[in-house]
Each structure stands twice: as C-alpha cells, then as structure tokens.
Amino acid sequence: MRTGLQQVLFRLQQFWLLAKGWGSLSSLRRSLCTLVATVLLWVTLATNPIYSEPTALASLQDDRFDGNIFALYAGNGSIVPPQIPLADALSNGRPTLLTFYIEDSKDCKQFSTVVSQIQAFYGRAINIIPINVDSIAPGTDTSSTEPGYYYAGKVPQTLIFNAAGEKVLNAIGTANFEQFDDTFRDIFNLLPRSESITLKRRPLNEVNAELAQ
C-alpha cells in the first residue's frame, strides 16, 4: 500500500505523462486532461490525513500543546501572566494561591477550570499566581519568596498561603474546587458550605458579614 506521499507522487507522475502528449491534442482534450489531473490530485490530498486539517484544534483529553490553557479551557485569559510577584503576595496581607502548571498536560488543562472557579469566588480577596514550570529559572529554589522554592516536580501542584504568608495547603495532582474552598473558608472564617453556599462570615456579635467583594 502506498503512503500518502507516495500517492501524491504517483498522481504527479500520471499528470506529467498526460502533459507530454498534450501537444498533439486539441484544446478541448487538453482542457479535459487538465480537469481530470486536477481532480485526481485534489482527491488524493483531501483523503490523506497528513494533508487534511485536524478535526479538533484543541482537546482536554491529550497532552498536546494547544496554547494558553486558561484562555482555551477555562475561558479566562486574565489569570496569566500573574498580576503580582510571589514575594509581594506573601507580604501584602492577603491569602495567596500559587499553582504550577505546564501547557501540554491533560491534567493541567482540566485543572485550569478549577483555578478559574477559585478566581470567580475569591479573586478580589486573594492573590492568584499561576506559574508555568518551564519559566522557573534554575537556582531559584533557595529563597522562600521564589516560586521555584515550592515546586515539587509534578503538575498540577497548588499551594495556599494564609494572610500571614504561612503555607496551609500543598496539593499535588488534580483536585476539585471544594478542597480549596474549604481551606479559604477556614482562612476567612466563613461558614461551611453545608450552612451557606454563599461566602458569609461566621456570626460575630449576632451579625453576619459577607466576604468583601
């Protein structure tokens, strides 16, 4: 069986043999030969996968590089690049979510939607710092204010720091939104989900105060 390239070369050879005899043909027959050769080439190219367009340009089910995973799969390109360096985030009095990813990982593609969901709930009250591990410079794993210091060599990896800059969660692998939501509810002293799906603080002097938006 001929490969796709061999079939194309075979059709081109047929086209060349036809062209050799065109000088003795009438204009009508030359036109018909040109049409037949063109159709043969078009059918060959269209029916070979190596020359046809892919049926899907992006997929959550493979480890292929497709581009910015937060824009493609989470519908939220604003997450990257990070809006604040980790050193500043750990000292500005707000909790911080630090997540490591690569763009050619099926697990990271799927997890990007969780990060976007976290931003939707807590984005105005926390720092969110996604780090593409390919961008981690060598030798940056010695300072606790550098992302490389916390990277464990696997993705996705997600850490949460409280407002004092103390690490309170280190999750490696995919995880659901509820795991991170529980941690942030503890940090912000919010009611558990079983009592309030919305973000409401625990009663203080018989008054419920919503999380600042």
Side-chain angles (χ1 to χ4, degrees):
M1 179 178 289
R2 296 186 180 94
T3 65
L5 181 58
Q6 289 174 332
Q7 290 187 43
V8 171
L9 293 175
F10 176 72
R11 297 301 186 190
L12 287 172
Q13 185 181 40
Q14 288 183 315
F15 182 87
W16 180 78
L17 290 174
L18 285 171
K20 287 181 64 178
W22 283 1
S24 59
L25 297 177
S26 67
S27 59
L28 177 59
R29 289 184 177 181
R30 285 199 297 270
S31 298
L32 288 175
C33 286
T34 300
L35 177 62
V36 170
T38 301
V39 171
L40 288 174
L41 282 172
W42 180 84
V43 170
T44 301
L45 292 171
T47 56
N48 279 279
I50 63 171
Y51 298 104
S52 59
E53 290 293 327
T55 56
L57 296 179
S59 172
L60 277 168
Q61 304 302 323
D62 59 45
D63 294 319
R64 185 179 60 192
F65 172 78
D66 301 313
N68 182 338
I69 62 174
F70 294 100
L72 284 171
Y73 301 109
N76 192 347
S78 66
I79 291 180
V80 291
Q83 302 299 309
I84 184 173
L86 179 61
D88 294 344
L90 295 178
S91 61
N92 70 359
R94 302 172 68 182
T96 296
L97 181 137
L98 172 66
T99 183
F100 295 98
Y101 72 97
I102 55 176
E103 291 182 327
D104 55 352
S105 162
K106 175 180 68 176
D107 289 342
C108 291
K109 292 177 183 180
Q110 296 173 355
F111 186 66
S112 66
T113 60
V114 176
V115 178
S116 183
Q117 191 175 4
I118 293 170
Q119 188 197 45
F121 275 79
Y122 295 100
R124 295 186 180 182
I126 68 174
N127 308 300
I128 298 180
I129 304 180
I131 298 294
N132 187 329
V133 300
D134 293 332
S135 68
I136 298 176
T140 60
D141 57 353
T142 58
S143 171
S144 60
T145 60
E146 292 291 337
Y149 180 85
Y150 301 96
Y151 179 51
K154 296 181 180 180
V155 290
Q157 178 189 357
T158 305
L159 301 95
I160 292 178
F161 302 84
N162 62 21
E166 300 166 334
K167 183 175 64 177
V168 295
L169 178 70
N170 185 3
I172 297 177
T174 56
N176 55 31
F177 167 77
E178 287 73 19
Q179 178 179 356
F180 304 105
D181 184 37
D182 287 341
T183 302
F184 281 121
R185 285 176 184 264
D186 287 341
I187 290 175
F188 288 111
N189 195 32
L190 302 176
L191 290 170
R193 259 189 322 280
S194 59
E195 297 181 31
S196 174
I197 296 178
T198 58
L199 304 179
K200 292 185 177 181
R201 294 192 185 279
R202 296 177 186 275
L204 179 62
N205 296 328
E206 299 182 354
V207 175
N208 284 339
E210 293 186 1
L211 179 68
Q213 294 297 317

